[in-house]
Amino acid sequence: IQPPEKPLQAEEWNRLRESFRSPEIFEEVMFNNMVRCNSPIDVAKSLLTHVAKSNGDIAYNLLVKYLALCVQQGQTSEIRDVYDIMKIRFKTLESGAYNLVIRGLSNSDQWRMALTLLEEVKKIMVPSRTNYESCIKAASRHQEMNLAFELYHEMLAKDLVPTFDVLQAFFDFSRGMKGAELQKELFGILLYLRENQIYPHKTFMRSIKLWFESIPGGNWRGHLTSIKDSGQCPVCNHQLEDSDLTEEEYNNLSERIIRDVIHGTDTFRKTSPQEFEAFQMFVENRLPFDIVIDGLNVSHIKPRKMQCENLFDAVNCLAKDNARLLVLGRKHMLINSSNWKREIMKEMQNKADFFFAENISEDDAFLLYATLRSGKHCKFVTRDFLRDHKACLSDSLTRHLFRKWQRGHQISKKMFLSVFIQQPAFRYDCVVQTTGDTWHIPYKDIFEEKYSYQVPRKWLCIQQK
């Protein structure tokens, strides 16, 4: 149903309602359509008035829909009025309504009311990321950067993950502003990207570049570049951090993963202790390997090809230079089938060691164990991100080492036409890094909401002249 273009009288609304297929949900559907069509406020108001007169009351969900329309159109006084009505009627609201009111007020000249409301929300629940980000943007827009950062730190302390949108806003609104404290905060955001291995997208990267170049008396210059394979930046000739862990870091990480992740709570959910013990014996008798391959994962690389052929291509490609390979397989691969041909499997077993686990086993623990036990040189191949295991590591230093090790040891596979291209693990570490008078920031061309282990090839080099 199309919303009317001008306010209607009671009998006109009644007529419309009666002609509607399901009159009991008429108001709800009508309000949804008004929000979709961005109808004039007075039209929506005339429906609210009609509902109030007919029922002596307006239901919560209708008020929220009306509120959404007011926020959409920046009708500040209406937002305040509706909120006042709701507060009297319903004592507390659910998070959706608070999101709307805070967003609506923070985009208006009465943005400080949004802060008051945020305090009210804190008394009843943990405010949402949206609540914080609306208030942070409002404070930044009005150049109240201290307040914006205070809210940002509060948000991080509550384990709310900021969006690129709000991080970019900090750089956009701080452009040209003086202050050592402000600079320290913005450098802090860059270190947050480093700590969490986050790659900004192109527009966010541009905001960072423009902010650096706008620092009064800072003499910073930014250039877009690609890092040489040796890890040297062609712009400033600076050598990027090595992707290798030191002996001590590697031993610590290896011990922690084997203790917390592999022998911790999560390994045996999908595998039996007996099977894992058998696997450990198998590995210990054949150490060390050069490359460990997640066989099932790799067998799905090209959906149109037979699974055993995909795996065969990978094994052939990686077995060059006499590398010692371990392939983690599943028992069903040994049964001759349309996807797993016995003669191809036999041929592969001449080139690599195979361990066939039960069909329900979880590969990651096996993969990590065999790679770490083989030593620092050993690489692994999988399309998985191993995110769950990172989450089992309790302190941020170990998580940082795990990511660094992962970046340096995970061989990612890019299917390019029909060739299996092996993208080597880099010799330099692909994260935000600084020496004080230089910053190197890896970035992606497009925004990616999902975490990705595919490291970017593009960098922003910023140096202070």
Side-chain angles (χ1 to χ4, degrees):
I1 44 171
Q2 265 318 93
E5 287 175 12
K6 54 184 203 316
L8 302 183
Q9 298 301 319
E11 57 275 12
E12 296 174 294
W13 279 122
N14 280 333
R15 267 205 303 281
L16 262 184
R17 188 174 194 271
E18 278 151 23
S19 65
F20 187 61
R21 261 204 326 272
S22 323
E24 67 286 356
I25 56 162
F26 167 76
E27 287 80 6
E28 201 165 325
V29 174
M30 181 55 88
F31 268 114
N32 284 343
N33 289 343
M34 286 180 178
V35 172
R36 207 187 63 240
C37 302
N38 204 16
S39 297
I41 284 291
D42 56 352
V43 177
K45 223 172 178 174
S46 81
L47 178 54
L48 271 192
T49 313
H50 170 62
V51 171
K53 280 181 181 159
S54 314
N55 307 349
D57 195 356
I58 303 171
Y60 181 88
N61 65 334
L62 293 186
L63 282 170
V64 172
K65 290 178 197 300
Y66 177 63
L67 188 57
L69 187 65
C70 297
V71 170
Q72 199 166 287
Q73 298 185 8
Q75 304 272 355
T76 313
S77 59
E78 278 299 305
I79 294 170
R80 288 187 59 174
D81 289 350
V82 178
Y83 175 61
D84 289 341
I85 292 168
M86 291 177 91
K87 216 166 51 174
I88 293 162
R89 291 259 323 275
F90 306 106
K91 297 297 173 270
T92 63
L93 317 182
E94 41 71 61
S95 59
Y98 282 123
N99 279 350
L100 283 168
V101 181
I102 289 177
R103 194 172 87 218
L105 293 174
S106 63
N107 284 329
S108 75
D109 53 357
Q110 298 180 29
W111 63 278
R112 285 189 186 277
M113 280 193 66
L115 299 174
T116 315
L117 200 53
L118 183 65
E119 290 307 314
E120 274 178 45
V121 173
K122 280 185 213 170
K123 289 175 195 156
I124 33 182
M125 59 176 110
V126 175
S128 68
R129 165 164 87 176
T130 322
N131 292 159
Y132 273 109
E133 296 202 341
S134 298
C135 293
I136 288 171
K137 282 191 199 153
S140 307
R141 213 177 289 122
H142 293 85
Q143 307 281 290
E144 300 231 2
M145 300 315 289
N146 290 348
L147 173 58
F149 276 109
E150 204 177 299
L151 292 167
Y152 166 70
H153 290 301
E154 204 176 285
M155 173 182 172
L156 290 183
K158 289 186 164 62
D159 282 334
L160 297 168
V161 178
T163 58
F164 274 171
D165 198 31
V166 82
L167 296 177
Q168 188 181 330
F170 278 118
F171 288 93
D172 287 340
F173 291 117
S174 304
R175 218 173 282 168
M177 287 173 82
K178 268 197 172 83
E181 198 47 44
L182 177 69
Q183 266 187 53
K184 201 173 117 196
E185 288 285 14
L186 288 155
F187 288 162
I189 291 181
L190 296 175
L191 294 174
Y192 172 83
L193 299 181
R194 171 190 170 88
E195 171 63 29
N196 293 286
Q197 193 189 328
I198 297 168
Y199 304 123
H201 52 75
K202 208 189 245 164
T203 43
F204 182 10
M205 175 277 297
R206 285 209 188 100
S207 295
I208 296 171
K209 180 177 182 290
L210 289 170
W211 171 72
F212 266 103
E213 294 175 341
S214 79
I215 298 172
N219 290 331
W220 291 93
R221 275 289 153 267
H223 296 276
L224 308 188
T225 185
S226 298
I227 303 296
K228 296 176 186 168
D229 285 344
S230 64
Q232 194 185 38
C233 170
V235 179
C236 65
N237 295 324
H238 180 75
Q239 188 67 30
L240 262 55
E241 288 172 38
D242 200 330
S243 63
D244 264 359
L245 304 186
T246 64
E247 229 27 77
E248 190 187 350
E249 286 175 332
Y250 180 79
N251 292 337
N252 283 345
L253 178 69
S254 171
E255 256 167 53
R256 282 295 298 277
I257 290 186
I258 286 172
R259 190 184 76 215
D260 295 4
V261 178
I262 295 173
H263 294 310
T265 49
D266 75 332
T267 315
F268 301 124
R269 273 192 302 224
K270 298 195 181 103
T271 181
S272 69
Q274 294 79 8
E275 181 179 48
F276 197 71
E277 235 162 76
F279 173 69
Q280 284 175 291
M281 293 270 297
F282 175 91
V283 169
E284 297 302 325
N285 291 332
R286 291 169 177 76
L287 283 174
F289 297 103
D290 298 313
I291 301 173
V292 182
I293 301 168
D294 179 345
L296 197 60
N297 190 293
V298 170
S299 73
H300 289 289
I301 282 185
K302 287 192 204 155
R304 283 192 296 281
K305 251 179 128 167
M306 223 192 310
Q307 286 177 21
C308 63
E309 282 186 351
N310 279 330
L311 186 54
F312 186 67
D313 289 349
V315 167
N316 264 344
C317 170
L318 296 166
K320 289 184 189 119
D321 313 323
N322 297 322
R324 294 205 53 220
L325 310 184
L326 168 61
V327 180
L328 301 173
R330 290 282 203 280
K331 289 199 169 147
H332 71 75
M333 295 176 176
L334 292 168
I335 301 163
N336 203 16
S337 66
S338 59
N339 258 318
W340 298 100
K341 294 279 175 260
R342 190 163 286 147
E343 60 278 12
I344 297 182
M345 289 302 291
K346 273 220 172 81
E347 201 177 328
M348 272 194 274
Q349 283 165 282
N350 294 330
K351 298 186 178 214
D353 279 303
F354 271 75
F355 181 85
F356 295 99
E358 289 298 338
N359 294 331
I360 51 164
S361 297
E362 179 57 90
D363 280 359
D364 288 355
F366 290 75
L367 185 82
L368 286 172
Y369 183 82
T371 309
L372 288 164
R373 284 294 293 128
S374 292
K376 259 174 80 168
H377 72 288
C378 185
K379 308 267 195 274
F380 63 93
V381 184
T382 178
R383 293 184 300 170
D384 285 346
F385 300 149
L386 310 179
R387 290 197 82 172
D388 302 350
H389 301 297
K390 195 194 75 214
C392 300
L393 298 166
S394 50
D395 63 293
S396 64
L397 177 67
T398 314
R399 280 201 295 271
H400 174 73
L401 289 179
F402 179 69
R403 288 198 196 93
K404 185 171 178 173
W405 173 76
Q406 184 182 354
R407 288 191 295 273
H409 290 77
Q410 183 161 1
I411 297 172
S412 59
K413 304 154 316 301
K414 284 187 172 166
M415 288 318 300
F416 185 70
L417 300 170
S418 62
V419 196
F420 184 98
I421 297 173
Q422 186 187 334
Q423 189 190 351
F426 290 110
R427 284 177 50 187
Y428 56 89
D429 198 8
C430 203
V431 279
V432 171
Q433 37 192 282
T434 178
T435 60
D437 58 358
T438 67
W439 281 86
H440 287 90
I441 300 167
Y443 69 93
K444 299 231 161 172
D445 271 336
I446 48 166
F447 167 69
E448 280 177 5
E449 178 66 77
K450 268 175 59 199
Y451 177 90
S452 162
Y453 67 80
Q454 289 279 342
V455 292
R457 305 303 308 254
K458 299 185 169 182
W459 288 74
L460 166 65
C461 162
I462 301 170
Q463 54 183 147
Q464 199 167 24
K465 290 287 188 232

